[in-house]
Amino acid sequence: MSAVRVLLATIPLAGHASPALPVAAELAARGHDVRWLTGAHLAGAVAATGARHVPLRSAHDYADTAWLETLPGRRPPGPRRLAQDFEHLFLRSMPGWVADLEAGLAAAPADVVLVDVGLVEAARAVHERGGPPFAVFGVSPLLLRDDDTAPYGLGLPPALGRLGRARNRLLQEAVWRTLLRPAVVALREERTALGLPADSPAQAVGPVSPFLHLQSGVPSLEYPRRAMPASVRFVGHLAPPLGDAPRPPWWDDVLRARADRRRVVVVTQGTVATDPEDLLLPAVRGLTGAGHLVVVATGRRDVPTLPAGALPGGQLSGGEVPADVRVGGFLPFGELLPLADAVVTNGGYGAVQTALAAGVPLVVAGRTEEKPEVAARVAWSGAGVDLRVQRPTPERVRRGVDAVLHEPRYRAAAGRLAAEYAGLDAPVLCADLLEELVGR
């Protein structure tokens, strides 16, 4: 087909922008014209895909969410904080994103606007104001308002049957009238200010595109729904290629552990919720001396360390670590995960999918952002254990790891999900579906 003109926009955070990298690269490789509206610090990554970077002018250009911590009345981790983030990160930011998207379209027309799920309402507003169709790629578990699931953010598994759906309806109404009320008001106010009807389809359905919603993940990791929107397509794992990080100096220790039939347990806490006392240190304290090789990924590029004095009898930094612990910053997960027997994580959606795509069972502990929903789906799928806390005790981590290591059902479920991921080439499928949308 002839070249497709794509205006891509992502919130300038790694979890929102990184999943778009392979999609942009695939589109550019097919000869399509891709312009990417995002933060200045991502310009190099954008150029590497073959897309053209478009700087932000009106939208907030930030590299992290630290500014959210300064909000008045900032809530502790949980559903109330998630509701705050919906309001301020995704909805009160709409005017700037609409201005930048419309400026991009005025500079050069596009056949389709492609955005991450955090910008779905901005893209919807642009379309309603005369812009082209918009597609969305979901970088978190699917958020739909329906009777088959509990409200997003509570981390509750689905309750089916007549009584279960009645429970879901009551919870949905209660949450939308209380916790999410400020977000609903924000959306109505911002739409009105843009000259649009106050009510958005999102209030009845959820933040999905009616044209095409490219949902990262596989059907077996998502709850069953009787009324799944026809526009939702599961595309597999949207992630940049793994293995770019160099092997650490202690890499041979991992290979020796495997040769000696020792268990390799990977501990990672992502790059957003990074207080090591939440998970990294409890995990190390609980797993040290258990006979495993514990590999810790701190997610830091500068110094791959944790605080001095973190452990009795030694610090978890540099070379002064327990004999059965290895610490790195960014690790070559493409090579590491096939050697791992379990992954302990705080539930970042990308990290969880990376582990499951490799067939590795999980122990999840995280209650910030969308992490309760990720953890609940891991447990529901059978591929891991949800500890249901932000900061587990060392003993609780150890029990969770013992469970996924010694009960075969966890690895079997992770293996089934891995086969499902292997059947979906996410970048190719996304490009095919976008070409089909434009062709229609």
Side-chain angles (χ1 to χ4, degrees):
M1 65 179 301
S2 58
V4 175
R5 299 167 298 178
V6 181
L7 179 58
L8 171 61
T10 58
I11 288 177
L13 296 172
H16 290 257
S18 294
L21 291 170
V23 179
E26 178 66 23
L27 289 168
R30 296 186 183 197
H32 299 314
D33 178 29
V34 183
R35 292 177 295 138
W36 190 337
L37 181 68
T38 194
H41 67 285
L42 295 167
V46 168
T49 69
R52 289 176 289 154
H53 178 252
V54 179
L56 300 178
R57 302 298 184 192
S58 299
H60 188 188
D61 189 350
Y62 48 82
D64 57 48
T65 55
W67 62 275
L68 288 172
E69 301 299 330
T70 66
L71 292 174
R74 182 67 167 155
R75 301 287 187 171
R80 291 184 182 274
R81 178 180 289 192
L82 183 63
Q84 278 187 318
D85 292 349
F86 282 161
E87 177 187 0
H88 294 281
L89 185 60
F90 302 144
L91 300 177
R92 292 299 184 188
S93 65
M94 278 179 61
W97 283 102
V98 169
D100 281 348
L101 283 166
E102 291 186 336
L105 292 170
D111 300 304
V112 63
V113 169
L114 174 62
V115 298
D116 76 74
V117 71
L119 297 177
V120 59
E121 288 307 312
R124 193 192 312 275
V126 169
H127 171 68
E128 292 180 20
R129 285 160 57 99
F134 66 99
V136 175
F137 58 92
V139 297
S140 58
L142 191 61
L143 194 169
L144 289 176
R145 186 179 180 182
D146 57 29
D147 293 345
D148 292 325
T149 57
Y152 203 84
L154 301 184
L156 295 176
L160 305 179
R162 188 174 62 182
L163 291 178
R165 286 191 285 272
R167 180 211 75 166
N168 294 337
R169 276 195 299 274
L170 290 173
L171 286 175
Q172 291 278 8
E173 287 300 318
V175 167
W176 280 81
R177 290 179 182 275
T178 55
L179 289 179
L180 289 177
R181 181 65 183 171
V184 171
V185 171
L187 179 56
R188 286 176 172 165
E189 291 179 350
E190 299 302 341
R191 285 179 59 85
T192 300
L194 291 166
L196 301 172
D199 289 330
S200 162
Q203 296 168 15
V205 179
V208 300
S209 167
F211 301 101
L212 177 62
H213 191 95
L214 304 166
Q215 179 59 36
S216 181
V218 293
S220 296
L221 192 60
E222 187 52 70
Y223 300 144
R225 291 176 168 88
R226 293 170 300 160
M228 181 73 76
S231 61
V232 174
R233 301 292 298 269
F234 289 90
V235 297
H237 188 16
L238 283 171
L242 297 176
D244 292 340
R247 291 180 176 180
W250 41 260
W251 183 254
D252 286 347
D253 296 342
V254 178
L255 302 179
R256 279 192 290 270
R258 295 299 301 171
D260 295 340
R261 298 185 180 277
R262 289 177 66 195
R263 305 279 192 167
V264 176
V265 180
V266 177
V267 181
T268 176
Q269 200 173 304
T271 57
V272 177
T274 55
D275 183 350
E277 287 287 355
D278 282 343
L279 183 58
L280 294 187
L281 294 178
V284 170
R285 291 168 183 148
L287 297 174
T288 297
H292 317 311
L293 181 66
V294 181
V295 177
V296 178
T298 66
R300 294 179 53 173
R301 294 190 183 278
D302 48 1
V303 182
T305 65
L306 292 176
L311 293 172
Q315 64 185 54
L316 191 61
S317 62
E320 301 177 57
V321 297
D324 52 0
V325 175
R326 302 293 181 272
V327 183
F330 284 88
L331 298 177
F333 280 100
E335 295 181 84
L336 176 60
L337 288 178
L339 304 174
D341 296 283
V343 170
V344 180
T345 174
N346 65 345
Y349 196 46
V352 163
Q353 289 195 86
T354 299
L356 292 176
V360 185
L362 295 145
V363 175
V364 189
R367 309 307 287 175
T368 61
E369 297 90 33
E370 81 286 11
K371 294 178 177 64
E373 293 299 325
V374 178
R377 282 161 173 77
V378 168
W380 173 81
S381 72
V385 173
D386 178 8
L387 299 184
R388 296 191 61 81
V389 293
Q390 175 71 9
R391 183 171 290 186
T393 64
E395 294 74 20
R396 196 165 181 180
V397 176
R398 185 166 183 164
R399 288 197 301 269
V401 170
D402 285 345
V404 301
L405 289 180
H406 300 301
E407 296 180 33
R409 60 189 175 96
Y410 291 109
R411 180 163 282 275
R416 289 192 294 271
L417 286 168
E420 202 167 345
Y421 276 105
L424 296 171
D425 188 328
V428 170
L429 182 54
C430 287
D432 287 346
L433 290 169
L434 285 165
E435 290 176 346
E436 180 185 319
L437 172 63
V438 173
R440 291 201 304 268

